[in-house]
Amino acid sequence: MTIKRQKKAKKNINFYKHNFSFREPFQILIDGTFCQAALKNKIQIKEQMPKYLMGEVQLCTTNCALKELESLKDLYGAKLILQRYQVRNCKHFKNPVSASECLHSMLEGTNSHHYFVATQDQELTAGLKKIPGVPLMYIISNTIVLDKPSQCSVNHVEAVALGEMVTPAQQQSINSLKEVQGIGQDGERRGKKRKRKISNPNPLSCLKKKKKQPPTQPLKTEGEKKKRNRQRKRSKPEGGKGPSLKPLPNT
């Protein structure tokens, strides 16, 4: 691997690290077309992928991609390579679909799980370029190549810088905070209705009400009962005699 390829790969990886929160180990979704190209060009995916991405990786696929290779006998070697990787759960366990449709659905429109996608399917690549934050990998000239960020990803980063949009990681944290606060998409609070507990009545409320008695007057003491009515005596004139009465004249 030349120094020029290393610089380009490092630049593209840093773009996804800084703008879309990609972290090691990098998760790489692989389909049968990529394994067939690696087999044809004698590329050891498990050995060369960590060196190219300069970090730890997790190679994975889906059940639909394996089912597709089982139906194609010409791609038996690619199937042997693909079945060595981790199988991620998809929504089509009971009714498998094509590998391209399955891988597209795994990203859920926002690539919240931060997948790299390794494929040679041009139709799938064109569809994934419309989703921001999806690193695409393919094999060309006997080497693994990480494609430059799509125009959709670049436009998304510019809109976030201008404050017009939020990153998928920020949107996910906002949604989780809304769930904790019980706020729906319409902005209304949706609290859970609490069931009233059936409790026994208060024993004090079952007691009979006591009749109110009139306030009792304080008892009078014997001293207060026997109050003496003191009368003031008129004072007598000096000499002890009262005033003399004049006789009436005879007519």
Side-chain angles (χ1 to χ4, degrees):
M1 183 166 45
T2 60
I3 297 175
K4 188 176 180 180
R5 286 181 58 235
Q6 280 185 333
K7 287 183 177 180
K8 284 184 177 181
K10 187 175 182 180
K11 180 181 178 181
N12 294 334
I13 292 169
N14 288 334
F15 174 85
Y16 291 107
K17 279 185 176 181
H18 298 319
N19 298 303
F20 295 96
S21 303
F22 276 71
R23 295 290 180 269
E24 295 182 30
F26 301 125
Q27 302 182 89
I28 304 172
L29 276 176
I30 303 175
D31 67 352
T33 60
F34 190 84
C35 292
Q36 180 65 18
L39 184 63
K40 184 179 179 180
N41 292 282
K42 298 180 181 180
I43 295 174
Q44 299 293 331
I45 299 174
K46 195 172 183 180
E47 294 178 1
Q48 295 189 23
M49 193 71 76
K51 294 179 181 178
Y52 180 67
L53 296 179
M54 293 166 283
E56 187 180 353
V57 300
Q58 286 183 354
L59 305 178
C60 52
T61 186
T62 64
N63 187 56
C64 294
L66 290 172
K67 290 287 183 182
E68 187 179 66
L69 290 180
E70 287 178 1
S71 61
L72 301 173
K73 295 181 180 180
D74 296 338
L75 301 179
Y76 181 74
K79 176 196 167 186
L80 294 178
I81 297 173
L82 193 64
Q83 66 185 9
R84 298 175 186 173
Y85 307 144
Q86 300 178 12
V87 178
R88 296 298 166 89
N89 295 326
C90 62
K91 301 176 181 178
H92 322 104
F93 183 76
K94 293 183 179 179
N95 299 314
V97 296
S98 64
S100 59
E101 184 179 349
C102 183
L103 264 61
H104 195 281
S105 67
M106 287 290 288
L107 304 183
E108 298 179 349
T110 57
N111 196 15
S112 58
H113 297 289
H114 305 103
Y115 285 121
F116 286 68
V117 179
T119 181
Q120 301 293 110
D121 190 338
Q122 295 182 0
E123 185 179 352
L124 175 60
T125 301
L128 294 178
K129 284 184 177 181
K130 298 177 183 179
I131 302 174
V134 181
L136 297 172
M137 304 184 72
Y138 52 88
I139 294 174
I140 186 171
S141 302
N142 301 331
T143 56
I144 298 173
V145 177
L146 175 62
D147 197 9
K148 65 179 181 179
S150 64
Q151 190 61 42
C152 180
S153 298
V154 174
N155 293 340
H156 182 85
V157 172
E158 291 177 354
V160 170
L162 296 173
E164 298 175 358
M165 296 180 68
V166 296
T167 62
Q170 291 173 342
Q171 185 63 44
Q172 189 175 3
S173 62
I174 290 170
N175 293 336
S176 61
L177 287 173
K178 284 184 177 181
E179 289 179 2
V180 172
Q181 297 294 331
I183 302 174
Q185 294 182 353
D186 52 358
E188 295 181 357
R189 287 186 175 272
R190 297 178 181 177
K192 294 182 179 179
K193 293 183 179 180
R194 295 183 180 179
K195 295 181 179 179
R196 291 188 65 182
K197 294 182 179 179
I198 300 174
S199 58
N200 296 325
N202 189 354
L204 296 176
S205 64
C206 298
L207 296 176
K208 292 182 178 180
K209 294 183 179 180
K210 295 181 179 180
K211 294 182 179 180
K212 292 184 179 180
Q213 297 180 356
T216 55
Q217 296 181 356
L219 297 175
K220 294 182 179 181
T221 59
E222 293 181 359
E224 291 178 348
K225 288 180 180 179
K226 297 178 181 180
K227 283 186 178 179
R228 294 180 181 178
N229 295 327
R230 295 181 181 178
Q231 295 180 357
R232 293 181 65 183
K233 295 181 179 181
R234 294 180 181 179
S235 59
K236 295 181 179 181
E238 292 181 2
K241 295 181 180 180
S244 60
L245 297 175
K246 291 183 180 182
L248 294 171
N250 295 325
T251 55

